[in-house]
Amino acid sequence: MRAYLSSYRLGNQFEQFLEILPRNPRVLLVDNALDVFSDEARCRHRAEVYDPYQELEKFGCSVSNLDLRKYFESQSTLRVRLIESDLVWVLGGNSFVLNRAMHLSGFDKIITDHVKADEIGCGGFSAGAVIAAPTLEGIHLMDDPEVVPNGYPNEVSWDGLGWTNFAIVPHWKSDHPEATAAEVARNYLQKKGLPYETLSDGQAFLMTVDGTTLLS
């Protein structure tokens, strides 16, 4: 297993993750957590605020987009697309929208098979990290579960990928707009007696066959 779960963007130790990937990895970028926004708004944000393609390319990655919406009715072709890459990188946004896209496309099962077989690496930040948990309970205090983009069903999916045995609360005590909500989510999980770990911006969990390590 090779997975890198970051609180915000690439975190402080992305280079350490690259060390266990092929040189100049082929990356598929999943941004379906942002499907609540129009394509125009996303392009504008990429140009004016944050360009994940540019950020990954600085590390020698070759990046292309993987839109899970295209595979809602053709899951078999998604498997082919995945095995031709070295890393899948999942952006932040609305965790519940992302979770819907993963379930509808079959990505959740396919990527889990490949990651656990150590055939591909997977990483992401914020929503792209919390999705690795067994459940999104608690994250509903950070992301609205009822947000439904066009083309998505209304049903809320609470089951995460189950790669960790704890919930992940990103942006903990960070200079981030969701820092206050992160504290609310953490308090909820603690009160419910549910296992969780917090991540501050810059931190990430590195998951390998040897276990899970917190990188700061």
Side-chain angles (χ1 to χ4, degrees):
M1 170 174 272
R2 289 166 293 168
Y4 180 85
L5 311 174
S6 172
S7 176
Y8 190 54
R9 298 185 182 176
L10 298 186
N12 295 336
Q13 299 292 341
F14 186 70
E15 287 177 285
Q16 188 169 333
F17 180 50
L18 286 179
E19 291 174 1
I20 58 175
L21 295 174
R23 184 178 177 84
N24 303 124
R26 299 163 298 174
V27 180
L28 293 176
L29 190 145
V30 175
D31 62 358
N32 293 96
L34 300 173
D35 283 349
V36 292
F37 304 108
S38 68
D39 290 343
E40 180 182 353
R42 286 152 77 166
C43 289
R44 186 167 59 250
H45 184 271
R46 178 180 168 186
E48 299 176 357
V49 180
Y50 170 57
D51 187 341
Y53 293 85
Q54 186 178 68
E55 186 176 44
L56 287 163
E57 287 165 356
K58 287 180 180 178
F59 287 90
C61 301
S62 174
V63 189
S64 56
N65 181 256
L66 177 64
D67 186 348
L68 297 182
R69 292 174 294 185
K70 296 180 179 179
Y71 301 93
F72 286 179
E73 304 296 334
S74 56
Q75 298 183 5
S76 59
T77 56
L78 174 59
R79 188 179 293 274
V80 173
R81 185 89 190 275
L82 286 174
I83 62 176
E84 294 175 345
S85 66
D86 303 305
L87 169 66
V88 176
W89 184 252
V90 187
L91 299 189
N94 187 296
S95 304
F96 294 92
V97 171
L98 175 62
N99 205 24
R100 284 187 180 96
M102 287 186 171
H103 286 315
L104 290 167
S105 63
F107 177 89
D108 52 350
K109 294 181 175 61
I110 296 170
I111 192 63
T112 296
D113 288 345
H114 288 303
V115 167
K116 289 191 173 181
D118 203 28
E119 296 168 341
I120 189 173
C122 187
F125 70 87
S126 194
V130 305
I131 202 71
T135 176
L136 295 184
E137 185 173 0
I139 302 303
H140 67 288
L141 299 170
M142 300 182 70
D143 296 338
D144 185 355
E146 304 300 330
V147 171
V148 182
N150 292 333
Y152 281 75
N154 292 327
E155 293 80 8
V156 177
S157 178
W158 292 88
D159 293 334
L161 296 173
W163 297 357
T164 68
N165 57 7
F166 52 82
I168 298 173
V169 181
H171 313 307
W172 175 251
K173 294 189 181 301
S174 302
D175 184 17
H176 189 280
E178 291 192 334
T180 300
E183 187 166 357
V184 174
R186 178 262 194 186
N187 291 344
Y188 170 91
L189 292 165
Q190 187 175 61
K191 185 176 181 179
K192 295 270 288 188
L194 298 173
Y196 70 88
E197 296 288 345
T198 58
L199 278 179
S200 298
D201 289 353
Q203 292 182 321
F205 287 117
L206 177 64
M207 303 181 69
T208 68
V209 292
D210 296 322
T212 302
T213 305
L214 176 63
L215 305 177
S216 298

